[in-house]
Amino acid sequence: MEMTDTARPASQRERWLKYGANVVVSSIVVVAIAALLVYLVQSRARRFDMTAAGLYSLKPQTISVIRQNEKPVKIVSLHKLPPPPRDPTADEMRLWEARNAEAARRIQILRDLLAEYQTKGRNITVDSIDTLKEPVKENALIAEVEQKYGGEIQAYKNFLDAYARQHEQIVSLCAAELEEIRKLRPPAEIDRETRATFREIVNTVDGFPALLDTVKATIDRELKKKVPDYRGMAMIVRDGGLLPDTGIAALSSRVEAIIQRLNQAQGNEKIPAELRQYMTASLPRYQEIKKICDEVIQTIDKLGDLKLDTLRRSLQQRDPILVMGENDIRIIPAEQIWKTQVDRSGRTEATLKPQFAGEQIITTAILAINDPQKRKVAFIRPGGPPLTEPGFLGMQQGVLSEVGQRLRDYNFEVLEKDVSGQWAIQSQMRGMAAAPEPDEEQLKDAIWVVLAFPTQAGLPAPVGAELKRHLDRGGSALVIVAPRVGGLEEALSGWGIEVKSDLVAVHEAVEAPDGRLPDEVQDALRSQMVFLLNEYGDHVITRTLRSLDSLIIYPVPVTTRSVEKVAVSPILPLITPLKTWGESDQAALEAGQRVTFEPEKGDLPGPLTVGAAAEKEGAGRLVVIGCPRFAFDFPEVTLLDSELAQQNIRAARFPGNAELFMNAIFWLAKMDSMIAISPAAMEVSRIRPMSVSTLNAWRIGLLLVGIPGAVVAAGIAMYFKRRD
């Protein structure tokens, strides 16, 4: 059979050309695709945080804040890695290397996190400066601070320029006065008082110019520094610095004493005429010296705070962070960025590895410099000692000190008011001074945290009337209610909220296992009036808290009803597989007895809620939580998660308690953008509960249908493939 040209086999050269062209085209396509991918990736940077604790990612609360940042903010991390020691031993070198490695790790964490602020925030720029290796950048930062806050610096520079002239005037006047004194020929016999006056005059006009020259030399040396201490120089001029009684204030006092002596001596006929003549003639000259001194002092006292002084102090600290706004600057020292915590919850005390805590502090600083007005939170208690005191110098720590400190960290001013007035009397009887309490004016625009607790005398809590007055004038409040506390009905009725303080929410009894449970928390949850919550209800305060654990002890049922012009929502539902109800026999619970649901005795059937949030049209906001201990320091807020502690992670076992408190305060303060999961709470690993439909989709759709279906489809495809 004869072959045609179309069926002719390709020659080797043709095959090389064909396959070579395919390789070239394929290579070009691959390179083009790679270049396109590189361009797309680099045009918009993407970072992935693979750490378990999310060290390099901003938390929801921070993102919520910085996305709404309207004013320019610059965050600068200052650090330095010290050079190795001279002629080190092997042990010293290993120690230096270990310390430097840890310092470098921390610096990198900060750089990555600050990059997130710039990427995800608005009007935020960041920088990182090694003050040893990058002196040019450090000088640029100093120049930037001088330019931003130049008005303050210029006021100090103007003062120093003016003082240089005033210094010369004072020295000249003193020298001239000394010459006048030397011209005198005082008699051998003069009275003791006159002798003392002239001794004071000579000591002043002869000695003080030399002292002022020393002050001037100190100023000249300080001005040669990279960041002069302008404020410090002004105070040296005024008070003499480390050398007491050498400044202008001391000279003014000395001259004032001389003027008084001269005025008293003018009519004294016992003083020789020549001396009296000098006293009369010299009085205006001393008054001129006094006038110049007083002008210097007045100028110094009018000088305000100096932002450059803040920068100078930061450069002296170890690895600080600067947060710079339009009109203010904040320093965050390294001790606040990396906190060394101590686990005191177990039988032994173990110091954990320093943990990064800078995000919350940085975010708070951004809030503070953009909103310098401090909001106030007033804890209104029915008596007893202060509850938010941190405890130091032998003082007992308040049971709400942790949430009090969190409020201060978020730039709130924390106040406390004892409405009974008994604590001040009791302190006075013990010989102790009670801390001053806020007056009516200070409390008027504060957010109240009303602690409706029983008084020590067993009387009704005297807070109901005060709460009603505060709410009626448009105020907002968080009310924390304990069982058996009445007197709140009138204040709460207009908000559609009722507290069943004669009841305690309980769950059915749990049979004890053989032996003690290994987890103390699980063991405690067997108590009928102890609940573990991780569902909080559908309200802006609680939506972000879902799946965070909260410990609720001794809860009080709270009910809601519709009221015109009031938006009220129940929160904190007691969701548990166990039966729940409101128990009326509180005496049995306190005695540790097991109780059962008995509706005939007044028990309230479940399901129950132990909180409510309400907003009144044209008025304030109100949150009521029927759990007296929910914000207490221990164990609710400060108990550590023992499993995470073993991984050197300090995280609260019940993060929902403090988050619920802070979210309530943010909502009451109308700072809704802050209602998100805080950096502290994000240390806890969370698995959100699935809905029934989602769970069925995974169980049936994927496991029973999806995977077997994929196997069957693959088998069918393989069958037809082989058949062909």
Side-chain angles (χ1 to χ4, degrees):
M1 181 176 179
E2 186 177 351
M3 296 181 62
T4 64
D5 291 342
T6 56
R8 181 177 60 82
S11 67
Q12 184 177 9
R13 183 173 178 276
E14 291 173 334
R15 288 197 299 273
W16 284 352
L17 289 174
K18 176 182 176 181
Y19 295 137
N22 286 339
V23 170
V24 170
V25 171
S26 300
S27 300
I28 293 173
V29 171
V30 169
V31 171
I33 293 175
L36 179 62
L37 289 175
V38 170
Y39 169 77
L40 292 175
V41 170
Q42 291 186 346
S43 63
R44 192 169 182 181
R46 287 288 187 274
R47 298 173 63 253
F48 298 94
D49 185 358
M50 305 301 291
T51 61
L55 284 176
Y56 309 104
S57 301
L58 296 179
K59 309 305 183 288
Q61 188 181 66
T62 295
I63 294 174
S64 176
V65 171
I66 64 177
R67 279 180 178 171
Q68 301 181 45
N69 179 58
E70 299 292 341
K71 300 177 182 178
V73 173
K74 183 172 184 178
I75 309 172
V76 183
S77 170
L78 301 174
H79 60 269
K80 54 187 174 184
L81 292 175
R86 294 182 179 179
D87 301 324
T89 63
D91 290 340
E92 289 174 342
M93 195 63 188
R94 281 194 295 269
L95 180 62
W96 175 82
E97 290 174 348
R99 288 177 175 174
N100 260 26
E102 175 62 17
R105 184 187 73 85
R106 295 184 184 183
I107 291 169
Q108 190 60 49
I109 289 176
L110 275 177
R111 281 178 172 168
D112 290 337
L113 203 69
L114 293 184
E116 290 277 296
Y117 274 91
Q118 182 166 303
T119 302
K120 297 182 178 178
R122 292 181 59 196
N123 302 317
I124 296 177
T125 57
V126 301
D127 200 358
S128 179
I129 300 176
D130 187 327
T131 54
L132 287 181
K133 296 181 180 179
E134 301 174 301
V136 175
K137 290 182 68 175
E138 183 184 6
N139 292 336
L141 175 64
I142 295 169
E144 181 180 356
V145 172
E146 286 194 20
Q147 182 180 8
K148 265 191 174 181
Y149 315 111
E152 297 175 341
I153 299 170
Q154 193 59 48
Y156 277 86
K157 288 182 176 179
N158 292 341
F159 158 71
L160 291 174
D161 290 341
Y163 173 69
R165 296 189 295 271
Q166 291 164 325
H167 171 83
E168 295 301 328
Q169 284 182 277
I170 294 172
V171 171
S172 177
L173 288 171
C174 287
E177 200 60 40
L178 186 60
E179 288 299 319
E180 292 295 328
I181 293 173
R182 287 173 177 168
K183 293 177 183 178
L184 294 176
R185 295 292 183 265
E189 295 295 333
I190 57 175
D191 63 278
R192 181 180 301 174
E193 187 68 23
T194 304
R195 191 181 298 277
T197 298
F198 274 88
R199 185 183 301 114
E200 181 71 15
I201 290 173
V202 172
N203 289 340
T204 300
V205 299
D206 186 30
F208 245 93
L211 296 175
L212 293 180
D213 285 341
T214 302
V215 170
K216 186 68 167 52
T218 303
I219 293 173
D220 292 340
R221 287 195 301 270
E222 184 67 26
L223 285 171
K224 295 177 181 178
K225 292 183 178 179
K226 181 182 294 185
V227 186
D229 183 1
Y230 288 102
R231 181 66 179 168
M233 287 187 286
M235 298 314 295
I236 288 175
V237 170
R238 190 188 194 285
D239 300 321
L242 297 177
L243 298 174
D245 299 329
T246 60
I248 290 294
L251 176 58
S252 177
S253 298
R254 300 267 297 262
V255 174
E256 183 178 9
I258 291 172
I259 292 172
Q260 291 176 357
R261 286 174 177 267
L262 294 177
N263 283 325
Q264 293 170 0
Q266 280 188 11
N268 189 351
E269 297 293 335
K270 296 180 180 180
I271 300 176
E274 185 181 5
L275 298 186
R276 282 204 317 271
Q277 184 179 359
Y278 165 78
M279 290 179 174
T280 302
S282 65
L283 185 59
R285 298 195 292 267
Y286 287 111
Q287 290 171 339
E288 178 65 18
I289 295 175
K290 177 76 164 57
K291 178 183 175 183
I292 296 173
C293 292
D294 291 345
E295 288 176 355
V296 173
I297 294 170
Q298 289 173 8
T299 303
I300 293 173
D301 291 344
K302 289 179 181 178
L303 294 171
D305 292 334
L306 187 62
K307 301 298 186 295
L308 188 66
D309 196 45
T310 302
L311 175 60
R312 182 187 57 80
R313 292 196 305 271
S314 70
L315 294 175
Q316 294 173 351
Q317 295 184 13
R318 179 176 62 88
D319 299 347
I321 288 180
L322 303 184
V323 181
M324 302 163 55
E326 285 184 319
N327 303 307
D328 200 2
I329 181 171
R330 297 294 175 96
I331 301 175
I332 305 175
E335 292 74 21
Q336 292 185 25
I337 300 169
W338 297 95
K339 289 187 176 180
T340 302
Q341 303 290 352
V342 177
D343 179 7
R344 303 180 188 273
S345 59
R347 296 185 180 89
T348 60
E349 183 176 291
T351 300
L352 303 179
K353 186 177 182 180
Q355 182 184 15
F356 179 73
E359 179 182 343
Q360 188 159 319
I361 304 296
I362 295 170
T363 304
T364 303
I366 293 173
L367 281 173
I369 62 175
N370 284 342
D371 186 12
Q373 179 184 2
K374 270 195 173 185
R375 293 175 173 84
K376 292 180 289 189
V377 175
F379 286 76
I380 312 299
R381 66 185 196 276
L387 300 177
T388 62
E389 294 293 337
F392 57 91
L393 298 178
M395 294 176 60
Q396 184 177 0
Q397 180 170 301
V399 295
L400 294 171
S401 63
E402 184 68 23
V403 293
Q405 186 56 47
R406 290 200 183 198
L407 288 170
R408 297 181 188 97
D409 288 343
Y410 280 109
N411 205 39
F412 285 96
E413 181 182 358
V414 178
L415 309 171
E416 283 208 46
K417 176 71 173 180
D418 172 15
V419 294
S420 72
Q422 294 300 308
W423 177 248
I425 298 174
Q426 295 169 7
S427 298
Q428 189 175 4
M429 292 175 61
R430 290 195 298 267
M432 299 173 60
E437 294 194 342
D439 55 25
E440 187 73 18
E441 189 64 26
Q442 291 174 295
L443 292 174
K444 185 171 61 175
D445 59 347
I447 298 160
W448 284 21
V449 178
V450 178
L451 306 171
F453 295 172
T455 60
Q456 294 177 344
L459 300 174
V463 295
E466 297 289 334
L467 173 62
K468 186 176 188 310
R469 283 201 310 124
H470 179 65
L471 295 175
D472 287 347
R473 65 189 179 201
S476 297
L478 165 61
V479 184
I480 304 174
V481 187
R484 293 177 175 169
V485 174
L488 301 174
E489 296 79 10
E490 189 176 359
L492 302 181
S493 61
W495 295 77
I497 299 175
E498 182 182 0
V499 178
K500 305 288 187 180
S501 60
D502 56 333
L503 302 174
V504 174
V506 297
H507 58 72
E508 62 183 329
V510 178
E511 295 297 330
D514 296 334
R516 187 179 179 87
L517 290 173
D519 186 348
E520 294 183 357
V521 173
Q522 294 299 323
D523 191 44
L525 290 174
R526 292 193 298 108
S527 172
Q528 288 186 266
M529 55 184 181
V530 178
F531 291 80
L532 183 67
L533 296 189
N534 49 37
E535 291 289 337
Y536 298 85
D538 187 21
H539 189 271
V540 64
I541 295 174
T542 58
R543 287 174 195 144
T544 62
L545 304 180
R546 189 182 180 197
S547 78
L548 286 178
D549 285 349
S550 285
L551 183 66
I552 302 297
I553 301 175
Y554 222 157
V556 177
V558 177
T559 61
T560 60
R561 58 182 174 82
S562 297
V563 175
E564 187 178 357
K565 295 185 178 180
V566 176
V568 60
S569 302
I571 59 174
L572 307 183
L574 297 181
I575 298 175
T576 172
L578 303 173
K579 180 180 179 180
T580 60
W581 69 92
E583 177 60 44
S584 58
D585 191 355
Q586 297 188 33
L589 287 172
E590 291 171 355
Q593 299 175 11
R594 178 178 295 187
V595 296
T596 57
F597 178 58
E598 299 176 289
E600 66 278 5
K601 293 185 178 181
D603 291 353
L604 180 69
L608 304 175
T609 57
V610 294
E615 183 173 10
K616 185 176 287 189
E617 185 178 326
R621 294 176 171 181
L622 176 66
V623 177
V624 178
I625 296 178
C627 178
R629 296 184 48 97
F630 93 94
F632 276 19
D633 286 357
F634 190 84
E636 284 82 355
V637 174
T638 59
L639 178 67
L640 295 184
D641 188 308
S642 57
E643 294 183 4
L644 291 177
Q646 294 175 1
Q647 305 172 35
N648 282 331
I649 299 175
R650 185 187 187 274
R653 175 62 181 85
F654 307 110
N657 289 75
E659 295 296 300
L660 173 61
F661 179 89
M662 290 305 305
N663 279 6
I665 296 296
F666 290 141
W667 185 68
L668 294 171
K670 298 185 178 179
M671 299 170 63
D672 293 25
S673 64
M674 289 294 292
I675 300 176
I677 305 172
S678 73
M682 287 295 289
E683 296 290 349
V684 181
S685 301
R686 305 194 306 162
I687 300 177
R688 291 185 179 273
M690 294 183 182
S691 64
V692 175
S693 58
T694 304
L695 190 59
N696 288 337
W698 281 99
R699 286 175 174 172
I700 299 173
L702 180 64
L703 298 180
L704 298 183
V705 177
I707 295 177
V711 173
V712 172
I716 293 173
M718 184 59 67
Y719 168 77
F720 283 106
K721 179 69 175 176
R722 290 184 174 180
R723 186 178 181 185
D724 292 342

